[in-house]
């Protein structure tokens, strides 16, 4: 059944879902905010010896870190997936910070504001690849602030920082068509179908109802491209929709050129570009 609702009521119900997701995801993070658990996740191998899946929610389930709804609240497995995906993304980002902090602590200098050449070499060797100078400076200031308040180095990232919070959002990409569907209406509009709770604490599956809402595409989205499952961000009586889209591209030729440009949207820096030139012998 589709529930006919106004925009404000829709935002309220998306907000209820976001709060459920955030609450379950926060519980997962609190339960596993330790250096040992982050090391386990960063290791990339589950307790059964198999490599962890790339999907965050699947990786957490392989580790046995499942999201659990509050007592008396009924949610589908797809809602649990969404919560686990949110938690996994936060924890995987923490794994990256953990590696940087561990390198800084292992090579902590006598004067962090004036490292010697040897100290810089030791630090660079310990840091993850492509760690930029801005990250080194900010993490150094963070550790220095901790020392000022505790008169000692922190043991690890989890002592340096409190557990991070999950954003109030719903990443529907972690679900499937049993919870969400995206249909192209025409070149300028898509229709999103999603199950939403009818109350803040649904006590049965009868409290979950399918809702449909239309999303007008901006002019920059070409007609006919594939639209993907969105992320919903409720707030101020509205729902903001992050709607990714894909467009096909022609693979570049493998010959006839001597220069290539590679661009990556990264974690440490927003955008990184590299230019590679072929030598006369055909090597890069």
């Amino acid at each position: 059944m589709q529930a006919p609702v106004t925009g404000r009521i829709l935002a309220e119900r998306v907000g209820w879902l976001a709060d459920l997701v955030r609450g379950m995801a926060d519980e997962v993070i609190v339960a596993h905010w330790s250096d040992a658990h982050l090391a386990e996740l960063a290791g990339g191998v589950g307790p059964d010896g198999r490599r962890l899946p790339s999907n965050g929610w699947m990786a957490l389930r392989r580790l046995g870190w499942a999201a659990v709804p509050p007592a008396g609240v009924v949610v589908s497995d797809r809602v649990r997936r969404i919560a686990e995906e949110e938690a996994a993304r936060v924890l995987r980002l923490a794994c990256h910070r953990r590696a940087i902090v561990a390198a800084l602590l292992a090579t902590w200098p006598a004067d962090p504001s004036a490292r010697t050449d040897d100290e810089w070499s030791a630090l660079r060797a310990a840091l993850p690849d492509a760690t930029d100078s801005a990250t080194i400076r900010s993490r150094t200031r963070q550790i220095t602030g901790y020392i000022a308040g505790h008169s000692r180095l922190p043991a690890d990232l989890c002592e340096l920082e409190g557990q991070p919070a999950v954003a109030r959002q719903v990443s529907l990409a972690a679900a499937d068509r049993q919870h969400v569907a995206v249909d192209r209406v025409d070149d300028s509009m898509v229709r999103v179908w999603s199950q939403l709770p009818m109350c803040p604490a649904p006590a049965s599956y009868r409290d979950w109802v399918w809702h449909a809402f239309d999303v007008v595409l901006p002019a920059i989205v070409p007609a006919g491209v594939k639209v993907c499952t969105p992320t919903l961000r409720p707030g101020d009586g509205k729902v903001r929709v992050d709607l990714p889209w894909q467009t096909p591209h022609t693979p570049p030729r493998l010959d006839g050129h001597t220069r290539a440009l590679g661009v990556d949207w990264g974690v440490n820096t927003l955008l990184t570009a590299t230019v590679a030139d072929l030598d006369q012998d055909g090597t890069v």
Side-chain angles (χ1 to χ4, degrees), residues 184-278:
R184 192 74 184 246
V185 177
D186 53 35
D187 289 342
S188 62
M189 183 179 296
V190 296
R191 181 164 295 136
V192 179
W193 299 78
S194 179
Q195 289 197 52
L196 300 176
M198 302 291 285
C199 58
S204 73
Y205 288 116
R206 291 188 299 272
D207 294 328
W208 292 85
V209 174
W210 282 97
H211 293 66
F213 52 95
D214 294 336
V215 179
V216 177
L217 300 176
I220 60 172
V221 180
V225 299
K226 179 184 177 181
V227 292
C228 305
T229 310
T231 294
L232 308 180
R233 305 180 190 274
D236 301 326
K238 300 178 181 178
V239 178
R240 291 166 177 82
V241 181
D242 291 350
L243 188 69
W245 51 276
Q246 299 177 351
T247 183
H249 68 90
T250 303
R253 292 176 53 189
L254 299 180
D255 57 7
H257 57 80
T258 60
R259 174 171 291 182
L261 171 66
V263 181
D264 176 63
W265 193 315
V267 176
N268 295 325
T269 55
L270 179 61
L271 204 64
T272 302
T274 301
V275 177
D277 291 293
L278 288 177

Side-chain angles (χ1 to χ4, degrees), residues 26-194:
D26 281 341
E27 288 297 323
V28 173
I29 293 171
V30 169
H32 301 287
W33 187 247
S34 70
D35 190 69
H37 281 153
L38 291 182
E40 188 177 4
L41 179 59
V45 179
D48 57 0
R50 290 186 294 165
R51 185 175 180 83
L52 294 178
S54 58
N55 287 348
W57 68 269
M58 294 177 65
L60 293 198
R61 291 195 178 185
R62 183 76 57 83
L63 292 170
W65 302 357
V68 179
V73 173
V74 173
V75 303
S76 69
D77 181 70
R78 275 67 185 175
V79 174
R80 291 177 54 216
R81 284 187 196 180
I82 296 170
E84 288 157 356
E85 182 66 30
E86 295 286 358
R89 293 178 183 183
V90 170
L91 290 172
R92 280 176 164 170
L93 285 173
C95 288
H96 179 74
R97 299 197 304 278
R98 171 183 177 270
I100 294 172
V101 168
L104 286 165
L105 294 177
T107 61
W108 193 251
D111 183 0
S113 64
R115 289 182 174 91
T116 65
D117 290 343
D118 289 342
E119 289 170 339
W120 272 115
S121 296
L123 175 58
R124 290 291 187 186
L127 284 168
D129 293 341
T131 302
D132 59 88
S133 298
T135 298
I136 296 172
R137 288 194 300 269
S138 63
R139 293 298 166 187
T140 298
R141 287 195 297 267
Q142 185 183 25
I143 295 171
T144 301
Y146 184 94
I147 295 173
H150 298 80
S151 300
R152 63 175 178 84
L153 286 169
D156 48 47
L157 173 73
C158 295
E159 186 176 40
L160 180 63
E161 298 180 357
Q163 63 267 11
V166 174
R168 190 172 185 254
Q169 63 183 25
V170 183
S171 299
L172 292 172
D176 57 21
R177 291 189 68 87
Q178 294 190 39
H179 185 88
V180 61
V182 181
D183 298 323
R184 192 74 184 246
V185 177
D186 53 35
D187 289 342
S188 62
M189 183 179 296
V190 296
R191 181 164 295 136
V192 179
W193 299 78
S194 179

